[in-house]
Amino acid sequence: MFRNYLITAWRNIIKNGIFSIINIFGLAIGLMSCILIMLFVQNETGFDTWLKDNDRIARMHTSYSIPGQEPFSTVRSAGSMMEAIRDYAKNEIDSGVRFIQWGTTVRQNGNAFSETISMVDGNFFDIFDLPFLHGSKESSFKKPMDLVITEDQAIKYFGKTDVVGETLTFCCFEGREIPLPITGVVKKLPDATHLGINMIVYLQPALFGENDGTLHTWTSLNVYTYFKMNPGISLEQLQERVTYWMDNESPLVDMLKDILGDTANDKSVSDLVQQRVMLVPDLHLHAKKHAGNMGDLTPMGDDNMINTFIVVAGLVLLIACINFMNLSTAKASKRAREVAMRKVLGASRTQVAIQFLGEAIALVMLSLLFALVAVEIALPFYNDVLGTNLKLNLFNDLNLLFSLVGIAVAVGIGAGLYPALYLSRFLPGHILKSSKGAESSSSTKLRTVLVVFQFSTSIVLVIATLVVYGQTVFSNSMDVGYQSDNKMVLNIDSAGDNLESLKLELLKLPEVNAVSFSSESPTQDWENNNNFKLLESIEEGVANQALLFNIHNMGYGFFEDYGVKPIAGRLFDEDYGSDKIVRIEEGNEDKVGRASAILNVTALKKFGFKNAEQAVGKTLETNTAGGIHHLTIVGVIPDIYFRSIKYGVRASVYTFSPGRFRVANISFSSNDIPSLITKVERVWKNSVPMQPINLQFLSEMMTAQYSDEMTMAQLFLVFSGLAIIIACLGLYGLSAFTVERRTKEIGIRKVMGADIIDIVRLLIWQFSKPVVIANLIAWPIAAYMMLTWLEAFPYRINAIWLIPICLGVGLLSLIIAWTTVGGNAARVARKNPINALKYE
Amino acid sequence: MLKLHNLTRVYQTDDVETLALNNVNIEIKKGEFVAIMGPSGCGKSTLLNTIGMLDSPTEGQYIFAGEHVEGYSEKQLSEIRKKNIGFIFQNFNLIDELTVHENIEMALIYHKIPAAERKARVEKVMDKVGIAHRAKHMPSQLSGGQQQRVAVARAVVGDQALILADEPTGNLDSAHGQEVMEMLQSLNDEGTTIIMVTHSPAHADYARRTINLFDGHVVTEDVRAA
């Protein structure tokens, strides 16, 4: 019997030609989309699950929400917290470890490489049980300054993995080069980890002073803190214990009272400072919720993007399934006789239903094969767009294999169940007696509903895509408030005392017009914040109260180079000689330093100034560079967007503190970029010997800011395009079928005098109706969704744009439907009607 | 009204050539009632379709109302057909999804006649064939005889001067068959030219002239005195 089913199934696939191709092709595209998205989702959600005891390791994040100050969150925490909490919560915590990330330079055979080393407490390998290639966690991490590197680093520096006993020279600790002996090599970490570490050093606490702001602090957030919980302890229990300690036992109880005075009276510490814990496998996707936009050890994943993609994959597959359902029920009348005969010969309804369900599953399996081939072909491009390294290892990954087969069976059942029930319902007597088809009007209606659903879904997807794309383009092209053309950004972290000579040498290059220093270039933002107090009272302003502001440090010429003009007052100017913040030496803490500050418009408003002129000449008090400074506001500039405009602009104070400079902004005029780069590199090599150069183009940095959105927009474009293609395939199939079914009617109409054009119009209208309805359904849904999405952007495209987008997509969908149907309609309309009418 | 001169129609399939009509010469005058008879496959339907301009001759001439139409384009033929010729089929060929009224009206829609006039004419012709009480029914709710009356109504609603009927009684029992024949008879009495293919000698008797076809040839023509 099975053989008989198989033969019937196969012959039907062959006989139905175009319909089978549509079904298989549509399902294959649907499955391909699904598999591609699944691979990505599997990768993103599987971060750090390979770590031993990953369900017992948690990281502690910090959030400040102090009244009158901007809330602030980070994945880091204060250096003193780990030991205090570990010793307090002995019942919950087995052990704890801190990471300090340290940017440094490795010198090797006359070359210099930038590296970030992770200084960790000695029990690091007890918590993160990384597999050793050479050495072991007992032998390799015995004393401070022991160095364990990853396999890939070993190969990079020595060309082999067995490098225990070799030495790497780092620069610089307290101004000295330090050679560190390598004591162990661990395997290269998998891609799916938030641990972006490859050089691990046993932390030497002596390197850090008593008040260094790193290890011995309750408020400076510079270390990553991990706890390993005792077996059987839940994250909630740990969280409860940490919060209890913060509120009742921690030094912050008294400190906050001191800082805030009366405002802290009826508040517990955890209202102001939260220490939140999160399990390691959740960090990649969910740390964002705790830490906002601050970075992590590796780039964070995006939970929303994952969910959106899962929905999109589901929809594409659903659209393909609907094709299958529609075409199967539409073709049902063709098979009515077969069903009737099987029943006459003794088949039960269940047997017939199972036969059809089996056919559906077989067809999906066939599609799955094509889909897998398509995935293999698409993967390199897909990886390229996503910046991932996904692979399809079906036979190494049985889970994946089984879930794919599972999906195929589920899709087969999902798509095949209705047709199976529908077809198996036919009553043999009825079918065999009448020469009519078994087509009922309810199944025609259901098909129309499903087509409406397919098109609504596709239209929503396309509108969403266009809005995402539009917003991305808008963000990219928005006036950021500064001139971004022809700018290079040179990192000067490692330049030391060579800044002035570097600047002079760079200016000697004919292509270089100007060089200015700053703490960050546009697109960079290290989230430095400081409290500022306006000393003079102003009407309706906020005076004598510390407010938190974003702080940037700029040297002479910075604003001029970027074409930023003051709207009041002046910019930093060497001629005044009074702008620079001078560090207050130890022992002179009672002295008040004097310097200048520039505000942006948002800061102006935050202080409550009525206009820019009013602010000029006023004084801000702040604690920086070793003590209290009074800063005279010398100028106000328009808001400029240092970060992606999706974060909006923050109230910023610009000061001139040379100790904080980290980049040189180079303005150039040259079309020969490669030669310019070579020249700048030569200057760097001469001025700052033995340090790697870190040079970027501002235009590239600006594009990178929006790369996430761009990626999302591109992928959306592809998947919604696929959805439309599948829906159109379905429409094509249905119209071919309808034309077939209405051949007689069309023949009669032609005999009655209908022209080809009348017939084509008739059919096109029949298929336009569902598309028009689909548009009317899709528009409000898409508009609501996208307006909600856009709300996350402080600067967004005007909502009015949705109208032309919706209308445009509507028109496009109609045109696509018309071209899809038109061919079929014209073909049949041209036929000689007598052929249709002669035989019944 | 129309004249066929040395008309030949050859059907060409992959490797078989079928001669459906061979040198047919027929002239039919306005107001005639002609029956075409002959065994299955003798070319009756081909002849009727050719006269109805649904099929084109391979060779020979076809003069309709004084015009040589054998070289006309499909569009021109469609225009002539629409204005002059009504069709009645053995299997009625009503559109299942349309009501009786809509089925009849369809012929007028393609004549670009305004809605109000269409309604009046459809009602008039429904009265004439006696199915006005069934106007809102679907074809599937009617008996075969009623369906064929709808088809007749549809064929004449546009004031066509020529009715081509392809075995109009073939699917009907004798009582209903008689009914339809009487209706055709009365149409003919009012001046409509009728050409009918039939197998039934009794129904052929309604016609004034019977053309007998065999293997694509006109074998005999019997003319009865009025």
Side-chain angles (χ1 to χ4, degrees):
Chain A
M1 184 159 70
F2 184 70
R3 192 163 160 268
N4 176 276
Y5 286 171
L6 213 60
I7 288 173
T8 326
W10 178 247
R11 287 188 186 155
N12 262 300
I13 289 176
I14 299 297
K15 191 180 79 188
N16 282 335
I18 185 73
F19 296 100
S20 301
I21 291 172
I22 290 173
N23 267 335
I24 294 172
F25 191 65
L27 282 169
I29 295 179
L31 285 168
M32 176 197 76
S33 311
C34 216
I35 295 169
L36 284 175
I37 290 175
M38 215 169 86
L39 286 174
F40 177 62
V41 170
Q42 194 188 33
N43 181 62
E44 287 289 293
T45 53
F47 266 58
D48 296 312
T49 45
W50 53 273
L51 270 171
K52 200 180 153 203
D53 290 335
N54 61 68
D55 55 338
R56 286 173 55 200
I57 308 172
R59 188 169 70 190
M60 188 168 75
H61 303 145
T62 311
S63 301
Y64 276 71
S65 42
I66 290 173
Q69 299 193 352
E70 243 177 274
F72 176 78
S73 297
T74 171
V75 294
R76 296 190 299 262
S77 42
S80 299
M81 290 286 179
M82 189 278 282
E83 286 173 336
I85 294 174
R86 180 195 63 198
D87 294 344
Y88 176 78
K90 283 210 164 63
N91 190 31
E92 286 77 17
I93 297 173
D94 169 75
S95 51
V97 64
R98 293 167 295 185
F99 296 12
I100 300 167
Q101 294 293 98
W102 193 305
T104 178
T105 303
V106 173
R107 296 196 177 157
Q108 175 83 351
N109 305 330
N111 292 315
F113 304 90
S114 287
E115 295 286 357
T116 300
I117 60 172
S118 308
M119 298 192 161
V120 301
D121 289 309
N123 59 345
F124 173 84
F125 287 105
D126 294 334
I127 294 176
F128 295 99
D129 191 11
L130 305 180
F132 274 84
L133 276 181
H134 303 285
S136 68
K137 71 177 178 184
E138 291 79 22
S139 68
S140 302
F141 226 51
K142 279 198 291 217
K143 56 180 191 309
M145 303 314 270
D146 273 355
L147 170 65
V148 173
I149 64 176
T150 52
E151 167 186 12
D152 45 319
Q153 288 289 44
I155 289 168
K156 172 175 165 189
Y157 285 104
F158 302 99
K160 57 178 183 175
T161 59
D162 186 7
V163 295
V164 174
E166 302 274 1
T167 303
L168 281 176
T169 306
F170 293 87
C171 180
C172 300
F173 295 106
E174 297 170 325
R176 286 181 298 124
E177 283 193 359
I178 296 190
L180 292 180
I182 297 169
T183 52
V185 177
V186 289
K187 271 196 191 154
K188 183 179 183 299
L189 303 190
D191 289 333
T193 181
H194 86 286
L195 286 173
I197 59 179
N198 49 31
M199 292 193 164
I200 306 160
V201 176
Y202 194 127
L203 175 65
Q204 168 69 281
L207 279 177
F208 301 89
E210 274 302 309
N211 287 307
D212 61 300
T214 304
L215 283 183
H216 304 99
T217 173
W218 295 103
T219 50
S220 283
L221 309 169
N222 291 319
V223 306
Y224 297 81
T225 302
Y226 295 82
F227 292 116
K228 185 168 187 178
M229 298 184 283
N230 283 320
I233 299 294
S234 71
L235 191 71
E236 289 71 30
Q237 285 169 304
L238 174 64
Q239 180 67 69
E240 208 173 288
R241 197 76 178 137
V242 169
T243 307
Y244 182 85
W245 176 81
M246 285 291 287
D247 284 344
N248 300 289
E249 307 284 337
S250 75
L252 268 76
V253 179
D254 293 330
M255 289 169 74
L256 282 175
K257 275 199 189 112
D258 288 348
I259 298 171
L260 294 174
D262 290 344
T263 22
N265 272 348
D266 51 344
K267 290 205 160 67
S268 54
V269 174
S270 55
D271 292 332
L272 308 168
V273 180
Q274 284 100 39
Q275 297 290 170
R276 286 182 288 183
V277 286
M278 184 178 270
L279 285 175
V280 164
D282 293 335
L283 291 177
H284 178 64
L285 285 183
H286 304 289
K288 235 178 199 172
K289 288 191 192 110
H290 281 184
N293 303 309
M294 289 287 289
D296 200 344
L297 295 166
T298 54
M300 289 177 176
D302 188 338
D303 198 17
N304 283 331
M305 187 158 123
I306 300 287
N307 291 336
T308 314
F309 275 137
I310 293 176
V311 170
V312 170
L315 287 177
V316 174
L317 198 56
L318 190 59
I319 289 174
C321 285
I322 289 177
N323 273 358
F324 182 87
M325 287 164 77
N326 272 348
L327 295 179
S328 310
T329 54
K331 298 294 281 185
S333 48
K334 297 251 158 185
R335 297 191 66 182
R337 249 156 227 289
E338 181 197 332
V339 173
M341 275 321 291
R342 281 185 190 276
K343 283 194 172 179
V344 167
L345 296 174
S348 68
R349 182 175 178 191
T350 320
Q351 280 172 316
V352 174
I354 287 174
Q355 181 201 342
F356 282 107
L357 210 50
E359 269 181 35
I361 293 172
L363 197 79
V364 177
M365 289 293 180
L366 192 61
S367 311
L368 181 63
L369 284 182
F370 287 110
L372 289 174
V373 173
V375 166
E376 280 295 346
I377 295 168
L379 257 183
F381 306 101
Y382 188 62
N383 276 324
D384 209 36
V385 173
L386 280 172
T388 48
N389 190 18
L390 305 173
K391 285 190 199 81
L392 185 64
N393 282 328
L394 272 189
F395 300 101
N396 297 335
D397 191 346
L398 285 180
N399 271 342
L400 186 67
L401 185 65
F402 285 128
S403 50
L404 283 183
V405 172
I407 285 178
V409 171
V411 167
I413 292 175
L417 191 62
Y418 175 73
L421 293 178
Y422 176 78
L423 281 161
S424 62
R425 204 179 49 199
F426 292 153
L427 296 175
H430 182 71
I431 303 276
L432 294 178
K433 199 162 62 190
S434 78
S435 63
K436 281 184 185 165
E439 181 74 353
S440 70
S441 70
S442 71
S443 77
T444 317
K445 261 184 209 130
L446 181 77
R447 274 202 295 278
T448 312
V449 170
L450 290 175
V451 168
V452 168
F453 176 82
Q454 279 185 310
F455 270 81
S456 307
T457 313
S458 311
I459 290 164
V460 168
L461 282 176
V462 172
I463 293 176
T465 305
L466 290 178
V467 173
V468 171
Y469 216 84
Q471 174 66 24
T472 311
V473 170
F474 174 78
S475 301
N476 268 333
S477 62
M478 205 177 113
D479 184 12
V480 285
Y482 55 83
Q483 280 270 313
S484 57
D485 300 342
N486 290 345
K487 294 276 186 297
M488 285 191 292
V489 178
L490 177 63
N491 187 304
I492 53 167
D493 269 343
S494 53
D497 300 330
N498 306 317
L499 283 189
E500 283 313 308
S501 66
L502 178 69
K503 181 172 175 174
L504 284 176
E505 291 300 316
L506 283 172
L507 284 170
K508 277 184 196 160
L509 298 176
E511 295 92 340
V512 172
N513 305 329
V515 176
S516 57
F517 297 115
S518 58
S519 53
E520 48 254 293
S521 75
T523 75
Q524 297 178 322
D525 190 338
W526 311 126
E527 294 260 356
N528 284 314
N529 298 288
N530 214 342
N531 282 309
F532 291 89
K533 198 194 283 182
L534 177 64
L535 293 181
E536 295 87 356
S537 339
I538 49 167
E539 217 180 302
E540 288 167 36
V542 191
N544 279 311
Q545 186 187 328
L547 298 176
L548 194 73
F549 285 85
N550 183 220
I551 181 165
H552 298 286
N553 281 286
M554 271 69 197
Y556 299 123
F558 177 89
F559 293 116
E560 288 89 338
D561 292 354
Y562 281 101
V564 179
K565 297 196 171 62
I567 53 175
R570 61 175 178 88
L571 303 172
F572 295 132
D573 191 335
E574 201 156 9
D575 293 344
Y576 286 81
S578 56
D579 293 338
K580 224 181 260 187
I581 292 178
V582 181
R583 189 167 186 87
I584 297 174
E585 296 303 326
E586 273 184 54
N588 289 336
E589 280 88 357
D590 48 340
K591 269 198 176 169
V592 173
R594 292 192 185 276
S596 304
I598 292 173
L599 304 184
N600 69 359
V601 169
T602 305
L604 190 76
K605 288 183 194 140
K606 189 165 173 175
F607 280 120
F609 289 115
K610 273 202 283 293
N611 54 49
E613 285 73 21
Q614 193 191 13
V616 175
K618 300 288 189 297
T619 316
L620 300 178
E621 183 182 282
T622 189
N623 190 346
T624 184
I628 301 292
H629 281 80
H630 284 176
L631 307 174
T632 309
I633 300 172
V634 297
V636 177
I637 59 163
D639 285 340
I640 57 178
Y641 299 91
F642 261 56
R643 296 196 298 176
S644 160
I645 67 159
K646 69 184 165 207
Y647 303 125
V649 77
R650 296 196 297 159
S652 303
V653 176
Y654 302 92
T655 57
F656 188 152
S657 186
R660 300 262 180 184
F661 291 163
R662 297 183 70 178
V663 296
N665 304 272
I666 304 171
S667 311
F668 63 89
S669 46
S670 167
N671 291 326
D672 188 359
I673 304 297
S675 114
L676 177 61
I677 293 175
T678 315
K679 287 180 184 171
V680 172
E681 280 175 348
R682 197 178 306 135
V683 169
W684 174 264
K685 236 180 175 150
N686 292 334
S687 308
V688 190
M690 288 311 288
Q691 291 291 352
I693 188 168
N694 181 344
L695 183 68
Q696 282 177 288
F697 285 88
L698 184 60
S699 53
E700 285 168 11
M701 295 162 77
M702 291 175 74
T703 313
Q705 277 187 304
Y706 300 102
S707 65
D708 276 3
E709 280 88 0
M710 250 329 181
T711 306
M712 198 163 140
Q714 283 170 341
L715 284 182
F716 253 155
L717 202 65
V718 170
F719 287 118
S720 57
L722 289 178
I724 281 272
I725 290 175
I726 301 175
C728 283
L729 279 177
L731 199 66
Y732 180 84
L734 269 191
S735 71
F737 161 77
T738 302
V739 157
E740 205 176 280
R741 192 172 54 93
R742 291 179 73 172
T743 308
K744 176 187 143 198
E745 178 196 333
I746 290 165
I748 298 170
R749 285 182 187 271
K750 279 193 81 176
V751 168
M752 293 293 127
D755 292 332
I756 292 179
I757 198 82
D758 292 319
I759 303 294
V760 171
R761 204 185 293 137
L762 177 82
L763 288 173
I764 280 187
W765 174 234
Q766 186 197 344
F767 283 97
S768 300
K769 262 188 296 186
V771 175
V772 169
I773 296 169
N775 269 295
L776 295 180
I777 294 173
W779 289 348
I781 295 174
Y784 173 77
M785 268 173 44
M786 293 330 284
L787 287 175
T788 317
W789 181 76
L790 281 172
E791 267 169 23
F793 295 84
Y795 302 92
R796 47 189 179 251
I797 50 174
N798 198 322
I800 218 93
W801 276 103
L802 276 170
I803 296 172
I805 289 179
C806 285
L807 290 175
V809 171
L811 188 66
L812 187 73
S813 62
L814 276 176
I815 290 174
I816 291 177
W818 289 337
T819 29
T820 310
V821 176
N824 272 327
R827 188 165 47 81
V828 73
R830 242 182 264 121
K831 269 193 196 160
N832 191 334
I834 210 63
N835 296 330
L837 301 182
K838 203 143 86 184
Y839 307 103
E840 261 294 277
Chain B
M1 169 136 225
L2 63 89
K3 195 171 169 189
L4 307 179
H5 184 65
N6 289 340
L7 197 91
T8 300
R9 178 71 173 97
V10 180
Y11 285 116
Q12 187 91 41
T13 52
D14 286 342
D15 41 23
V16 187
E17 212 172 66
T18 316
L19 195 59
L21 294 176
N22 191 359
N23 257 326
V24 173
N25 289 288
I26 296 175
E27 185 176 359
I28 291 169
K29 299 210 164 53
K30 206 169 175 343
E32 272 196 286
F33 190 153
V34 179
I36 301 173
M37 293 191 74
S40 286
C42 70
K44 300 187 299 288
S45 292
T46 307
L47 179 61
L48 201 66
N49 290 337
T50 308
I51 293 173
M53 301 174 203
L54 296 170
D55 206 344
S56 313
T58 316
E59 265 173 60
Q61 291 165 336
Y62 178 14
I63 300 133
F64 186 89
E67 285 181 70
H68 274 271
V69 299
E70 60 269 2
Y72 275 24
S73 72
E74 153 120 28
K75 207 177 155 90
Q76 286 168 308
L77 292 176
S78 166
E79 274 305 304
I80 298 174
R81 190 166 66 217
K82 184 153 83 176
K83 284 201 192 97
N84 300 293
I85 308 175
F87 291 84
I88 301 169
F89 300 93
Q90 177 179 1
N91 50 28
F92 326 132
N93 276 332
L94 300 177
I95 295 176
D96 298 334
E97 289 82 6
L98 301 181
T99 62
V100 165
H101 186 285
E102 287 162 347
N103 260 296
I104 300 173
E105 188 186 18
M106 193 176 68
L108 297 178
I109 289 175
Y110 295 120
H111 285 86
K112 309 256 174 332
I113 289 168
E117 193 190 333
R118 286 205 303 264
K119 189 163 185 288
R121 284 173 70 168
V122 170
E123 274 162 12
K124 197 173 143 212
V125 77
M126 280 195 303
D127 273 339
K128 195 159 148 191
V129 301
I131 43 156
H133 60 295
R134 294 287 203 166
K136 293 227 157 54
H137 289 200
M138 299 309 243
S140 57
Q141 294 166 301
L142 305 181
S143 74
Q146 285 169 327
Q147 289 193 41
Q148 194 60 302
R149 274 189 278 159
V150 175
V152 172
R154 185 178 61 182
V156 299
V157 70
D159 284 338
Q160 280 83 349
L162 173 63
I163 298 282
L164 301 179
D166 193 351
E167 296 196 44
T169 55
N171 277 9
L172 300 176
D173 57 40
S174 59
H176 282 121
Q178 178 114 6
E179 209 174 85
V180 168
M181 285 318 297
E182 273 158 18
M183 201 155 34
L184 291 178
Q185 176 78 68
S186 75
L187 282 173
N188 181 239
D189 291 343
E190 288 166 30
T192 310
T193 313
I194 294 174
I195 305 173
M196 174 181 75
V197 167
T198 184
H199 278 297
S200 154
H203 290 164
D205 284 346
Y206 282 85
R208 285 236 195 102
R209 179 152 69 117
T210 302
I211 298 172
N212 292 299
L213 281 186
F214 186 77
D215 276 358
H217 292 281
V218 176
V219 187
T220 53
E221 288 194 39
D222 315 322
V223 182
R224 255 173 299 104

